[in-house]
Amino acid sequence: MTTAPPSAPPPSAVQRSAGALTGWSVAGLVLLLPTVVVAWLAVLATERGGRCLTYGEQCPSVPGEALWACFWAAAVLGALALAWPRTRWTSARCGAVVLQWGAQLTLGALILSGA
């Protein structure tokens, strides 16, 4: 007579939230470049964006340093959230993911504000 192998214990709430944070962080990192590309394509598809590209007229007044700061903040915070220990300081890791998405969405909004 054979016995069934013992089943694995169900994952705890901390393990589930750690997995969700990892998923959100990875999703943010994967979507960072597409966000930038799609936002710039939307800006360049407008008449104002075309004039800026072609003639250097009516270009957006958003400083490039702000765009780069948001881009690198999103990238670094995403990498930090991935490298952070999964079960320790979950609230700080959650904060890093929230800041990552905040920086990424701000970046997209800044680019689109030049449209």
Side-chain angles (χ1 to χ4, degrees), residues 57-84:
E57 301 172 352
Q58 300 177 358
C59 292
S61 60
V62 177
E65 293 83 15
L67 298 176
W68 282 111
C70 288
F71 178 84
W72 287 113
V76 168
L77 286 165
L80 178 67
L82 284 179
W84 208 293

Side-chain angles (χ1 to χ4, degrees), residues 31-97:
L31 292 174
L32 182 58
L33 285 177
T35 299
V36 171
V37 169
V38 168
W40 276 115
L41 286 175
V43 169
L44 293 175
T46 64
E47 181 182 347
R48 184 177 173 187
R51 291 192 69 78
C52 178
L53 185 64
T54 306
Y55 304 113
E57 301 172 352
Q58 300 177 358
C59 292
S61 60
V62 177
E65 293 83 15
L67 298 176
W68 282 111
C70 288
F71 178 84
W72 287 113
V76 168
L77 286 165
L80 178 67
L82 284 179
W84 208 293
R86 299 291 186 257
T87 56
R88 292 178 40 196
W89 301 312
T90 305
S91 60
R93 191 166 173 242
C94 180
V97 172

Side-chain angles (χ1 to χ4, degrees), residues 8-21 86-88 90 93:
S12 69
V14 171
Q15 290 170 331
R16 284 192 306 269
S17 67
L21 287 174
R86 299 291 186 257
T87 56
R88 292 178 40 196
T90 305
R93 191 166 173 242

